[in-house]
């Protein structure tokens, strides 16, 4: 079945460091891909999305490119801030359904 | 203010005692969904609804029921809760499933 795999955390970085959180997926058809962020004590918020191969989603300095050839959707940010500390979830939506499948989440800790 | 609300936010109950967690959205969204979040497992979808009177199973529907009698509400019903349903539950809504807005969560403990 369809699935999403994320790199294990926690990921600990110093402020202004470069961030990469890996995400790979397995899916039939042509899924849409998402990154959600969960700040402490809150629900999830959509961070960015890409609906077809080679699309790049971007928001708040974060980027991710939909790579069909490597079935990946890695999240990147050039310079992280303490306020980026959160749990990040990669997710996919299978074609023509309302099902959303999440990865297990990656905790990011940014230290001043 | 556009929002998804859930009630209660915290609930401790005993095995077998029926309970309902309510979810309401004020954005006129067509799509609503329920998830549970467990450590190391991420979020898993329980049920979703593409529209009023239309509901479908997610990945972990066993032990749960839902109904969508009106667009704004999507209650989650546990007819006979068990300890393995102890979890953090999130309701979400969206005009479609592409962009979902999440509620604040309901932490349920079943003893």
């Amino acid at each position: 079945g369809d699935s999403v795999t994320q790199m294990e955390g926690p990921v600990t970085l110093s402020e202004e460091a470069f961030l990469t959180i890996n995400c790979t997926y397995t899916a039939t058809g042509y899924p849409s891909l998402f990154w959600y962020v969960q700040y402490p004590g809150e629900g999830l918020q959509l961070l960015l999305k890409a609906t077809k191969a080679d699309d790049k989603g971007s928001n708040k300095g974060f980027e991710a490119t939909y790579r069909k050839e490597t079935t990946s959707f890695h999240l990147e940010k050039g310079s992280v801030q303490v306020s980026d500390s959160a749990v990040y979830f990669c997710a996919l939506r299978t074609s023509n359904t309302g099902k959303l499948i999440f990865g297990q989440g990656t905790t990011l800790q940014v230290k001043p | 203010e556009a929002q998804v609300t859930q009630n209660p936010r915290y609930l401790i109950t005993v095995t077998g005692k029926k309970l309902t967690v309510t979810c309401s959205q004020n954005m006129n969204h067509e799509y609503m969904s329920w998830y549970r979040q467990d450590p190391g497992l991420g979020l898993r979808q329980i049920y979703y609804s593409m529209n009023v009177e239309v509901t479908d199973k997610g990945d972990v529907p066993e032990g749960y029921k839902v109904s969508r009698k009106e667009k704004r509400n999507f209650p989650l019903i546990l007819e006979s809760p068990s300890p393995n349903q102890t979890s953090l539950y999130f309701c979400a809504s969206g005009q479609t499933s592409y962009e979902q807005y999440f509620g604040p969560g309901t932490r349920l403990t079943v003893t």
Side-chain angles (χ1 to χ4, degrees):
Chain A
D2 297 346
S3 65
V4 176
T5 302
Q6 292 180 231
M7 63 186 289
E8 289 193 22
V11 174
T12 303
L13 296 173
S14 297
E15 208 164 23
E16 300 184 1
F18 185 86
L19 168 71
T20 299
I21 300 179
N22 290 338
C23 171
T24 57
Y25 67 90
T26 301
T28 55
Y30 303 96
S32 297
L33 301 173
F34 307 85
W35 277 100
Y36 279 83
V37 58
Q38 184 180 32
Y39 297 103
E42 298 183 11
L44 278 72
Q45 303 173 26
L46 179 65
L47 182 59
L48 53 85
K49 66 178 186 281
T51 57
K52 62 182 187 297
D54 299 325
D55 269 2
K56 177 185 282 189
S58 61
N59 186 26
K60 299 181 181 179
F62 291 89
E63 293 183 340
T65 302
Y66 187 163
R67 302 284 189 199
K68 195 172 191 301
E69 62 277 12
T70 55
T71 61
S72 65
F73 193 54
H74 304 322
L75 182 68
E76 297 181 335
K77 187 175 185 183
S79 176
V80 294
Q81 305 300 312
V82 172
S83 58
D84 293 326
S85 298
V87 182
Y88 292 82
F89 291 92
C90 186
L92 70 82
R93 173 191 180 273
T94 53
S95 301
N96 300 320
T97 75
K99 290 186 70 173
L100 202 60
I101 297 170
F102 284 84
Q104 71 270 38
T106 301
T107 299
L108 171 64
Q109 299 173 338
V110 181
K111 298 188 174 181
Chain B
E1 179 188 355
Q3 59 184 351
V4 178
T5 56
Q6 297 179 225
N7 282 293
R9 294 288 313 278
Y10 302 91
L11 179 60
I12 301 174
T13 189
V14 297
T15 299
K17 184 176 181 181
K18 181 179 178 180
L19 66 92
T20 299
V21 183
T22 64
C23 173
S24 182
Q25 51 94 2
N26 62 1
M27 295 169 278
N28 203 36
H29 285 160
E30 301 285 341
Y31 178 91
M32 297 186 75
S33 183
W34 276 103
Y35 301 87
R36 60 178 289 173
Q37 184 178 15
D38 302 289
L41 297 177
L43 272 79
R44 293 178 292 168
Q45 194 169 32
I46 302 171
Y47 272 95
Y48 64 95
S49 170
M50 303 285 277
N51 210 331
V52 175
E53 300 291 0
V54 178
T55 62
D56 283 294
K57 296 178 180 179
D59 287 326
V60 288
E62 295 79 18
Y64 305 94
K65 288 176 59 177
V66 293
S67 67
R68 187 90 183 276
K69 296 179 181 177
E70 48 189 342
K71 185 182 277 191
R72 65 180 292 124
N73 295 322
F74 192 45
L76 179 69
I77 303 159
L78 285 72
E79 295 269 4
S80 182
S82 62
N84 65 12
Q85 293 179 296
T86 292
S87 188
L88 179 59
Y89 291 86
F90 288 101
C91 180
S93 75
Q95 194 52 39
T96 68
S97 62
Y98 278 109
E99 182 165 352
Q100 298 185 36
Y101 295 84
F102 281 75
T106 294
R107 187 167 292 281
L108 172 66
T109 302
V110 183
T111 61

